[in-house]
Amino acid sequence: MANIYKNELVDLTTTDNTTIYTTPSDSRAIIKSIIVSEDAGSGSTITFTITNAASAVFSLFKDKTIASKATTELLTHPLI
């Protein structure tokens, strides 16, 4: 099976839950990095969760504060 590399870029403009990536049912994903940038100039608080097919929710980051105009690398090691 060949490796497929994806770069997902999302501009979050609401406080609604947003799906960034869905792993196909016959595959596995390795997330190498998660970088967020606050570009509104007011600071933000984010929650980053992973949900599996059985609807089990795992909070990777809960109420993580991102300072005004700051960029933060949330994940520095691969997550499988």
Side-chain angles (χ1 to χ4, degrees):
M1 177 188 309
N3 292 330
I4 299 170
Y5 297 94
K6 293 190 69 137
N7 184 11
E8 297 290 328
L9 304 173
V10 178
D11 187 8
L12 303 175
T13 57
T14 72
T15 58
D16 296 340
N17 288 339
T18 302
T19 299
I20 296 174
Y21 180 73
T22 301
T23 305
S25 62
D26 61 346
S27 299
R28 287 165 185 75
I30 299 173
I31 302 170
K32 293 192 67 170
S33 179
I34 300 170
I35 298 173
V36 295
S37 176
E38 197 290 321
D39 60 359
S42 59
S44 295
T45 301
I46 64 169
T47 296
F48 192 97
T49 60
I50 297 172
T51 306
N52 72 9
S55 298
V57 177
F58 173 75
S59 290
L60 196 58
F61 292 92
K62 182 76 171 164
D63 298 330
K64 174 72 173 165
T65 300
I66 309 299
S68 174
K69 303 286 185 174
T71 299
T72 303
E73 184 166 5
L74 297 177
L75 186 65
T76 56
H77 293 67
L79 176 68
I80 301 173

